[in-house]
Amino acid sequence: MAIRVTVWGENVHERKNRIVAEIYPNGMHATIAEALDRDAGVTATTVTLQDPDHGLTPAKLAQTDVLIWWGHAAHGEVQDEIVDRVCDAVWSGMGIIFLHSAHFSKPFKRLMGSPCNLTWREAGERERLWLTSRNHPIAAGLPDSFELEHEEMYGEPFGVPEPMETVFVSWFQGGEVFRSGLTYRRGAGNVFYFRPGHETYPTYHDANIQRVILNAVKWAHNPAARIADPNAAPNVPVDQAPEKIQERGPRLHQAGEEGFR
Amino acid sequence: MAIRVTVWGENVHERKNRIVAEIYPNGMHATIAEALDRDAGVTATTVTLQDPDHGLTPAKLAQTDVLIWWGHAAHGEVQDEIVDRVCDAVWSGMGIIFLHSAHFSKPFKRLMGSPCNLTWREAGERERLWLTSRNHPIAAGLPDSFELEHEEMYGEPFGVPEPMETVFVSWFQGGEVFRSGLTYRRGAGNVFYFRPGHETYPTYHDANIQRVILNAVKWAHNPAARIADPNAAPNVPVDQAPEKIQERGPRLHQAGEEGFR
Amino acid sequence: MAIRVTVWGENVHERKNRIVAEIYPNGMHATIAEALDRDAGVTATTVTLQDPDHGLTPAKLAQTDVLIWWGHAAHGEVQDEIVDRVCDAVWSGMGIIFLHSAHFSKPFKRLMGSPCNLTWREAGERERLWLTSRNHPIAAGLPDSFELEHEEMYGEPFGVPEPMETVFVSWFQGGEVFRSGLTYRRGAGNVFYFRPGHETYPTYHDANIQRVILNAVKWAHNPAARIADPNAAPNVPVDQAPEKIQERGPRLHQAGEEGFR
Amino acid sequence: MAIRVTVWGENVHERKNRIVAEIYPNGMHATIAEALDRDAGVTATTVTLQDPDHGLTPAKLAQTDVLIWWGHAAHGEVQDEIVDRVCDAVWSGMGIIFLHSAHFSKPFKRLMGSPCNLTWREAGERERLWLTSRNHPIAAGLPDSFELEHEEMYGEPFGVPEPMETVFVSWFQGGEVFRSGLTYRRGAGNVFYFRPGHETYPTYHDANIQRVILNAVKWAHNPAARIADPNAAPNVPVDQAPEKIQERGPRLHQAGEEGFR
């Protein structure tokens, strides 16, 4: 069965900024989804900030194997309730890919537990991404390095936790470096951060970038059934302990009581 | 200079539950702080949930090298504003140690970005902690294993991110296991989770447990000056790029503008 | 195309020890391979220590997607040249799974760079394996815990590097714990260590154990083309630098010279 | 008590190459040791490849808290027996720092378990090192980035295991990047790899580089008593099991027998 991808687009600059609108006439999310949809193994749809529930209803998340998130100007408009819902879906097994300025999105910051800050410069300079981990599934089919002639610079230190793996590191013409492709696991969900994608440049039309995103979708997909309640903290009664034991000593909880939260 | 430790106590069951009050007549936080204070290299003070700002004013956090957190019954009463303040302090370099039921505290969940759930049983059973990393600084002076005759069981799967290091794993009489000592770094702050410490047992009077907490304080202490703003994401203007570049292509931001958040 | 698995068996105790021979009349490697071969996605063959080149000729390794290694009594008889060949294959992309007493095999020690030691007891006691990472691909289809009624005990501290992920932790009846399922990446090769499998017990006839090994084969398989020379350290001549630079300053090497090794 | 550092120098190019001899008239090891020795908390000595046992007798290693290794032209001349001895010392708690071309030294390859390869270019180009982890102890007192005007280029992919932490990433004028500062733990020993230091440039006279090495010495120092036998794999007899158990089922080993290796 095809991997069901939902591309979440903030869809603000595409409508307000002439330059962005010319590069992405149907929105960045549409360009990203169309590229994925050309792969036989993927079915991609799009939702935006402006949709009810930002397009992320419980039903939609339940039908999403991998969620892709691009946001920049309107991080603060994303409702906290939806952020909780997205994190729960990740913890129960949904994959998630954060692109570029989504480093400051609410769900990325929530999943990282860290500031997620960096330095930046919007000068249309050259970026060159290098693999650090040759033959990593996210790097499948890519050369050891590839270039984007015009990109925004993001510089270290990047305020994220040490990743499970560093897959790409970027070189910038102006002298900075950045860990551009990072993998994490949160609960049962696979998380990938991928740096490129400033909205005033045609980055998501680039074949190498499209390849990385497609590879990341396949890597992030967890085929296991979703965990019903990823936050459950069940009591194991004494008579159901794997080894026979006798209760002893004082206790706080009565039999059958819920734990504190 | 001595390491300044602040022990944060929820201080609820000590006042409401006779058993807990007998074991910890001045509160669990007091017992933990007194043990630390006996070390010449540490100065420990206590604050509680009931204090203004839960005792965690900006001034107090600025004077805290390592914060220790014990909470259980009243996680929900901790104000979100204080949680933000604590996380900012960690990201700027304050060490933090979470004890036992603090796995479900707001700051731990915020720093982990994961459900932090587990299974549990309150049966006064035997727990045996094993080192997985001999000679780790947090295990200094400890044997390869040590026992607590009566403890609450916490069982795997423990819903936390893969740690930087697993320092202890617990064996439980009833048949479960648990990763009991886990290290993380978040921003410039060192984070340690340590499992034992159910309030109806005299765990914090145990010499081995006191030793682990003291070791963890020394490990978590970052002597570097605190980062002034751990969330800063400064723009690097073109004329201050490390390498000389020319701005080119379209841009969103005007010179001197702040980035989006 | 099916994943090509080669099961390497030391094949010593199966021939010398009556108990082992009764449990594994065709050798442990045969039992492991037969279980894998029942899966439509896998084709499994076996080789043994006694074969020329221990069965691991360059041609055989080139046709092996995932190698499984079981050894115990004759680690020292494995030729260093074959160990080098196996490590090169791993670094170039072959997956490898080490079972039980292979913790002290030459290729495992070589790939870990650490002592790989542990404590042990042969008492036929009960082992219970717990998932620490629910929904991990290696845990697909397994319950949160499962038991082996008779196993050799391996105890912590286990002298291996901190893994990429801890997938299983074992509980032992005699009071010890052990990190039983650990993932690593070495070069382009995925590495999995899995603890159970003492030769005097019928462990590899157990359905859960067979499931873990099958899952691990699928996880370890890297479908990318093998790296031709995983040790290559190519010079990048000045005129082929990605950015135009001028050579300057003194140098050791003449143009076209190999680097030192 | 001061940290006892031993700087191991290959001491080949300093004697054979006029350029290197002018920059390091007493050898690179002497320059590195003199800089460390200026710190009140460190006592540094030097040994070289040409000394008996390459200067690394059991007595010398027993008195070494942190070993620093620089080699390039003569990796192959280091005896395997001494490599084993060094690895044993690391596993028992000695810290070790590998500099620059030591990425291909025998002890580094042995401790990493991976190819440790990279790309390179000797063009005297500019290198700029960026912190990825601000306030890491190894970065104490350093700015977010610093430059070396002339260095050899090392480029990704760098064939090492995913580190515990990536502390520095280098930018090169010619367009490459490299993970320049990496931490590992192997047994009880802390390991740091630090990239800069090509012998035809005055890198080890640079104040920032000296600061990093000093910081790394303090980070790598493990004050715990050395583990007597880091490879020991002791049997735990049934009657000494932490929990009372009865032996049952068949076994291979007789009471008191050594395990296989």
Side-chain angles (χ1 to χ4, degrees), chain B residues 126 128 136 165 185 243, chain D residues 126 128 165 185 243:
Chain B
R126 184 156 54 255
R128 183 177 299 105
H136 191 283
E165 303 155 305
R185 186 161 288 151
E243 300 286 324
Chain D
R126 185 156 54 253
R128 183 177 298 104
E165 303 156 307
R185 187 162 289 153
E243 300 286 324

Side-chain angles (χ1 to χ4, degrees), chain C residues 2-3 9 18 33 99 220:
Chain C
I3 301 174
R18 192 182 48 79
L99 297 176

Side-chain angles (χ1 to χ4, degrees), chain B residues 196-213:
Chain B
H198 192 56
E199 59 265 52
T200 60
Y201 313 120
T203 298
Y204 296 118
H205 293 288
D206 181 89
N208 285 319
I209 296 296
Q210 292 178 352
R211 166 65 67 112
V212 171
I213 297 174

